[in-house]
Amino acid sequence: GTLTSSVAYTGSYYKVSSKLFDDNLQELPYLNGKNSQSNLIATIQHKRKISSRYTMQNGVEYRQMSFSASDDYVHEIGGPQYHVYEAEGNTCLARAYTNHKVALSQKFSTVAGINVMYFGVNGQTLVEPRVSLQYKVSPSSSISVAYALNSRKESIGAYFVFGRVDTALQFGRRGDGLNQDFQGRVQG
């Protein structure tokens, strides 16, 4: 099999300020916000071809995040400015996954897998299944159908609205319940 690993560092910073003016051209504060985040990411992946028809891929990722964010806004023009949140700290996002590809015949193959994610800010753990079926039309073309439950982390400030950690705020999700996310793809 093949074992790969990587370490990466990313960072971002933005500052938002918006002001309005009244009829006398007097400045009215409207929105002030800032967000900075840095990530140290370590990944390890193992891929192994068990047989000519079966390939397994497993991996883990750990992301250590440092953040600082705040947001103030005016609900009504000319009204008071509200302090929505201010948050600073460290947290983690950990992920483990496994995918299994099986050649059912020379033309059909399937991939099934599962992704498990943990986010330290709100203590949420997610389990996301994935499955696909691929039909090889020719050596260079294929048609595939897939189902996956996918999630994404919201902006870090969204978890701290009104000065407390919002443990009810979930990852953004697709493919949940009746809103199943079927995807067809043609390659060639």
Side-chain angles (χ1 to χ4, degrees):
T2 306
L3 184 66
T4 58
S5 63
S6 66
V7 176
Y9 176 83
T10 65
S12 65
Y13 175 82
Y14 70 83
K15 186 175 182 178
V16 176
S17 181
S18 177
K19 297 179 183 339
L20 302 175
F21 295 90
D22 65 13
D23 294 338
N24 298 323
L25 296 179
Q26 295 296 314
E27 191 176 280
L28 302 171
Y30 180 67
L31 173 70
N32 288 308
K34 68 176 176 127
N35 187 321
S36 67
Q37 184 173 322
S38 61
N39 302 289
L40 182 60
I41 307 160
T43 61
I44 298 173
Q45 178 180 318
H46 180 253
K47 187 173 184 179
R48 182 170 180 212
K49 190 168 185 123
I50 306 294
S51 70
S52 62
R53 299 178 68 177
Y54 175 57
T55 304
M56 177 178 63
Q57 182 177 347
N58 303 303
V60 293
E61 176 184 299
Y62 182 80
R63 180 180 301 225
Q64 182 64 40
M65 296 184 286
S66 297
F67 59 88
S68 175
S70 67
D71 196 10
D72 301 313
Y73 81 103
V74 174
H75 181 66
E76 198 173 294
I77 296 175
Q81 192 169 39
Y82 293 97
H83 184 65
V84 180
Y85 67 85
E86 188 162 347
E88 191 169 317
N90 297 293
T91 191
C92 70
L93 179 67
R95 178 174 91 96
Y97 64 90
T98 184
N99 290 315
H100 303 269
K101 182 174 183 178
V102 178
L104 303 172
S105 69
Q106 288 187 345
K107 297 246 182 209
F108 282 100
S109 65
T110 186
V111 177
I114 196 160
N115 184 46
V116 179
M117 222 174 0
Y118 171 78
F119 187 41
V121 165
N122 63 357
Q124 184 181 13
T125 300
L126 296 173
V127 178
E128 304 173 325
R130 303 160 185 327
V131 66
S132 70
L133 180 65
Q134 183 178 45
Y135 175 71
K136 241 183 192 179
V137 178
S138 69
S140 63
S141 299
S142 64
I143 298 172
S144 63
V145 177
Y147 172 82
L149 188 55
N150 297 300
S151 302
R152 69 177 174 85
K153 180 183 76 60
E154 300 296 338
S155 168
I156 198 73
Y159 295 93
F160 292 94
V161 173
F162 301 117
R164 60 179 172 73
V165 175
D166 187 351
T167 56
L169 182 63
Q170 305 289 305
F171 282 93
R173 297 196 86 170
R174 297 223 24 190
D176 211 2
L178 296 176
N179 183 24
Q180 294 180 346
D181 185 20
F182 287 96
Q183 176 184 332
R185 182 176 57 175
V186 178
Q187 296 176 336

